[in-house]
Amino acid sequence: MGVVTAVQGKKILKWGAIGVGAFYLLSRPTDAAQTVHGAFNGVVSAANQMAVFFASLT
């Protein structure tokens, strides 16, 4: 019984997060774009730092 409840809870959380993201995207598209842009810049920065780290190992 507990496993079924946990799985249902995961589904509710997943669809809730998707719903909040869709609402944010549709109600504030400029802010959503800036958020995605900032996240992308963070990933690129992290990848660059990892490249610098691995290059310094040689």
Side-chain angles (χ1 to χ4, degrees), residues 9-40:
K10 271 183 157 178
K11 285 182 182 180
I12 290 170
L13 287 175
K14 178 179 75 171
W15 286 108
I18 290 171
V20 168
F23 176 76
Y24 183 62
L25 178 64
L26 295 173
S27 65
R28 303 184 69 113
T30 304
D31 291 339
Q34 289 176 349
T35 301
V36 171
H37 183 71
F40 182 74

